[in-house]
Amino acid sequence: MPTDINGLAAELLINVTPSETRVALVENGILQEVHIERLDKKGIVGNLYKGKISRVLPGMQAAFVDIGLDKAAFLHASDILVRGDDDSKSTKVPDITELAKQGQYLTVQVIKDPLGTKGARLTTDITLPSRYLVFMPGSKHVGISQRIENTQDRNRLKALVGQYADDQGSYIIRTAAEGIGEEELSQDAAFLKRLWEKIVQRRQRSKSSALLYEDLSLPLRLLRDFVGTQLASIRVDSKLTYEMLNQFTQEFVPEINQKLEYYPGERPIFDLHGVENEIKRALERKVELKSGGYLIIDQTEAMTTIDINTGAFVGHRNLEDTIFSTNLEATKAIARQVRLRNLGGIIIIDFIDMALEEHRRRVLSALESAFERDRVRTNISNFSQLGLVEMTRKRTRESLEHVLCRECPSCKGRGSLKTTESLCYEIFREVIRVDRAFSPERFVVYASVEVCDALLNKETHYLADLELFIDKVVTIEQEPQYPHEKYDVVMM
C-alpha cells in the first residue's frame, strides 16, 4: 500500500446508508478519525446565512441572531470583522452596541454547530474554501499556509494569487497548493468568485433570514480537505455515492480520482477493517495501553479530563523509569483518542508524577509530536505546578459520544446511581415526613424490584422498626417498570 510523506499508509473508508454517512480515516491499519453525518442532524458549520439580529446583550458583548433555526445563533463582538484602513483585521474589539443593532441584517457564517442547549456560533469573517485557495470577501491581503516552507515556492504562489485579488476580495493559499501551477490556481480563484457572486445575489433577493450557501456533504467536504495528505485509497460502499465522488474528483481534485474505489463486498466495509469495534471502544471510559497501563477519559460540560495510570505495568528497572515509560506510551494513545472521539475545548491531562525535569520535557515533546498529524488546531501548555498539562483543541462539531449517545435517564448524566441501601433509608425518611405532615392511616411504597427486595429482606428489621415508630402499616409493592432510583410513597 502506498504511504504518505511521513511513512503512514492512509485510506478513507466511506460507509453510506439512507439515514447516515460515516467516514473513517485509517492509518497503517489503525482507526484515527471518524466523521458521522446524519440526514436529520446535518452539521451546518461553514454554511452562510442572511441573519437578523433579534437581541443585543451589552453585558455579554454579544448578540443573538435569527438565521431560521429553532435556536437563535450566538455572535460575539470578537467575531464581528472590523477592518482597518490598511485592510488588516482590527485587534481591538469595539463595543457590541457600536457593531450590531436590533433588527439589523448581517451575512454570517457558522463556525460552531449547535452543541447541547447552545445555539450555533457565528462570525462575519466569511471564508469560502476550495481545493487550493480560501476566498476572503472584502480583503485585499494574500495569505499563505505556514506549512509551505519553501521560500521560492511561497513567493511564486503569492505573486500568482495576488493577480486574482480585487475589490471583491482576496485569498489564502492552502497547503495543498504547494507546487501547483497557474492554471489550477486560476480555475480555483474563478470558481470561488462566481460562488461569492451567487451568494451576494441570493442575499439581495432574500427579504428575511435565509440560507445563502450550504457547505458540501460530508464525503465531498473531506475529499476537498484531504487534498495534499497523500491518501493511498478511498473506498466507498455505495454505488451512487461512488459515482458522485467520481464526478466531483474528476472535475475538482483529479489527482486523487484514481485512488477512488467502489467496494461491492457482502461484508460491511467498517467490519472488514475493524472500525465498528474501534468505535465501540471509543465510547468507553477506560483505554488499555499495551504495557498494561491505562487511560481514564471523562468528558464533562466544562472540559475533558484524561488520567494516566500504570495499572498492571511494573517495569523492569526502577519506579521512575516505569512511570516515564507509561507516560511516554500514553502520549500517542491520548492524541489518537482525542482525534477519534473528536474531543474539543479544554482538555486536562494528569500524567503520573515524574521527579526528573528531563522526563517531563520528553513527555511534553512526545505529546506535541503526537498531535502534529491532527488537522484540528491544538494548543498545548507546559506542566503546571500541580503536574497537569492543559491543552485546548478547536471545537466545531459534536464529539463522537454526543453524536452516538444520550444522557442516561437513570443517573441524569451523573455517571453513578444511589446505592440500594441509600434509597431504602431515603424511603424511610420520606414515610416519616409524610406521616408528620398528613397522618394517614397506612402507607404503600412503590419501588423498583431491587429496592423492594432489599426492603423485604436485608432491611426488613429496619422496616419493622419504622412501622413501630409511626404506628402505621407500610406495604411494599414492586413496580418492574420503575428505574432504580424511582419510588413513590402513597398515603392510604
Side-chain angles (χ1 to χ4, degrees):
M1 182 181 288
T3 58
D4 69 5
I5 56 175
N6 292 310
L8 291 176
E11 58 182 333
L12 279 183
L13 308 175
I14 303 176
N15 166 238
V16 182
T17 61
S19 56
E20 72 175 358
T21 299
R22 302 184 300 169
V23 181
L25 174 65
V26 178
E27 295 175 352
N28 276 2
I30 300 174
L31 179 65
Q32 298 292 341
E33 295 180 20
V34 175
H35 303 265
I36 300 173
E37 184 172 83
R38 292 176 171 168
L39 287 181
D40 61 339
K41 294 181 180 178
K42 195 173 180 181
I44 60 173
V45 170
N47 289 4
L48 266 64
Y49 292 86
K50 180 179 180 178
K52 183 180 181 180
I53 296 176
S54 55
R55 192 177 175 193
V56 177
L57 305 171
M60 295 177 63
Q61 283 298 293
F64 285 117
V65 184
D66 175 17
I67 57 174
L69 303 180
D70 293 337
K71 295 177 184 174
F74 182 81
L75 177 65
H76 192 267
S78 61
D79 292 317
I80 299 178
L81 177 63
V82 179
R83 293 193 186 276
D85 296 335
D86 59 351
D87 187 45
S88 62
K89 297 177 184 178
S90 175
T91 54
K92 182 182 178 182
V93 180
D95 190 277
I96 187 67
T97 55
E98 299 174 17
L99 302 172
K101 306 295 180 185
Q102 188 168 331
Q104 177 184 354
Y105 283 96
L106 295 172
T107 301
V108 291
Q109 187 167 33
V110 177
I111 54 176
K112 283 186 182 180
D113 273 329
L115 299 173
T117 58
K118 300 176 182 177
R121 182 153 183 173
L122 307 175
T123 181
T124 63
D125 189 4
I126 308 299
T127 55
L128 292 174
S130 65
R131 289 178 299 170
Y132 307 122
L133 303 174
V134 177
F135 183 63
M136 301 180 293
S139 173
K140 297 176 183 177
H141 170 72
V142 176
I144 187 166
S145 168
Q146 293 181 354
R147 294 188 180 183
I148 300 178
E149 297 176 351
N150 185 290
T151 304
Q152 187 176 351
D153 202 29
R154 287 178 68 90
N155 293 335
R156 179 187 68 87
L157 290 168
K158 291 189 76 171
L160 280 175
V161 175
Q163 302 174 63
Y164 313 137
D166 56 21
D167 291 339
Q168 282 185 294
S170 188
Y171 303 88
I172 297 172
I173 302 165
R174 303 183 72 178
T175 307
E178 188 170 13
I180 296 301
E182 182 176 1
E183 183 179 354
E184 291 91 341
L185 294 172
S186 175
Q187 289 173 352
D188 255 25
F191 164 75
L192 288 171
K193 278 189 179 175
R194 287 196 304 270
L195 178 60
W196 178 243
E197 287 169 359
K198 290 180 181 178
I199 291 170
V200 171
Q201 291 170 6
R202 287 176 188 166
R203 187 190 190 285
Q204 292 170 346
R205 288 197 302 265
S206 175
K207 295 182 179 179
S208 59
S209 300
L211 174 64
L212 303 177
Y213 165 76
E214 187 172 17
D215 202 5
L216 299 173
S217 63
L218 177 63
L220 298 179
R221 189 169 65 244
L222 287 176
L223 287 191
R224 178 194 69 196
D225 294 343
F226 273 109
V227 170
T229 57
Q230 301 298 319
L231 290 170
S233 65
I234 304 159
R235 309 183 73 189
V236 192
D237 65 3
S238 161
K239 186 68 173 176
L240 190 65
T241 303
Y242 167 78
E243 291 171 352
M244 177 186 69
L245 293 177
N246 188 41
Q247 183 178 350
F248 177 82
T249 53
Q250 283 181 354
E251 184 175 356
F252 294 106
V253 276
E255 62 267 36
I256 63 173
N257 178 257
Q258 71 276 11
K259 299 173 183 177
L260 196 61
E261 303 174 20
Y262 169 57
Y263 172 75
E266 292 184 4
R267 189 177 177 189
I269 191 169
F270 272 25
D271 286 353
L272 186 67
H273 292 79
V275 173
E276 295 290 7
N277 289 333
E278 287 299 317
I279 292 175
K280 289 178 183 177
R281 291 193 190 101
L283 298 175
E284 297 174 0
R285 288 183 69 227
K286 190 173 182 178
V287 178
E288 301 283 355
L289 302 177
K290 289 182 179 179
S291 65
Y294 61 90
L295 313 178
I296 296 294
I297 302 176
D298 285 313
Q299 189 178 345
T300 69
E301 184 80 14
M303 67 183 72
T304 298
T305 60
I306 302 176
D307 185 38
I308 297 96
N309 298 277
T310 54
F313 181 46
V314 295
H316 303 290
R317 288 169 291 190
N318 55 52
L319 178 61
E320 182 63 27
D321 286 341
T322 299
I323 290 171
F324 174 60
S325 298
T326 305
N327 284 339
L328 209 57
E329 181 187 10
T331 58
K332 292 183 179 179
I334 289 168
R336 176 174 178 260
Q337 290 297 324
V338 166
R339 288 176 69 190
L340 181 55
R341 298 170 187 240
N342 193 24
L343 301 175
I346 300 170
I347 301 172
I348 306 295
I349 305 171
D350 185 10
F351 285 104
I352 308 169
D353 290 340
M354 293 173 284
L356 299 179
E357 178 62 32
E358 173 64 13
H359 283 178
R360 288 195 291 271
R361 186 190 63 78
R362 289 175 62 183
V363 166
L364 192 64
S365 177
L367 183 67
E368 291 170 346
S369 178
F371 273 99
E372 283 179 356
R373 297 191 60 79
D374 192 354
R375 295 178 302 114
V376 178
R377 187 174 73 246
T378 57
N379 182 30
I380 301 173
S381 70
N382 290 319
F383 278 89
S384 71
Q385 290 183 340
L386 297 177
L388 306 174
V389 172
E390 302 171 7
M391 65 171 286
T392 58
R393 186 172 186 265
K394 186 178 179 182
R395 175 164 48 194
T396 56
R397 290 183 167 85
E398 295 269 22
S399 68
L400 186 66
E401 180 183 320
H402 286 160
V403 171
L404 298 180
C405 306
R406 67 180 179 92
E407 183 182 85
C408 170
S410 296
C411 74
K412 302 296 182 185
R414 292 201 316 268
S416 60
L417 295 172
K418 292 179 183 176
T419 64
T420 303
E421 181 184 50
S422 296
L423 287 167
C424 290
Y425 299 163
E426 192 174 306
I427 289 170
F428 294 160
R429 291 194 300 273
E430 179 65 9
V431 168
I432 293 171
R433 187 189 69 79
V434 173
D435 180 63
R436 288 176 177 173
F438 303 102
S439 190
E441 293 183 7
R442 64 187 183 90
F443 291 92
V444 178
V445 173
Y446 297 93
S448 66
V449 174
E450 185 179 1
V451 172
C452 287
D453 285 346
L455 288 169
L456 296 173
N457 293 287
K458 184 180 178 182
E459 310 294 340
T460 185
H461 57 290
Y462 290 126
L463 179 62
D465 289 344
L466 175 67
E467 289 180 316
L468 286 173
F469 182 73
I470 63 174
D471 194 24
K472 306 279 172 62
V473 174
V474 180
T475 305
I476 308 300
E477 294 286 346
Q478 290 185 356
E479 278 291 345
Q481 300 302 316
Y482 273 22
H484 179 67
E485 291 190 0
K486 181 174 174 56
Y487 62 84
D488 288 308
V489 175
V490 179
M491 299 181 295
M492 303 298 285

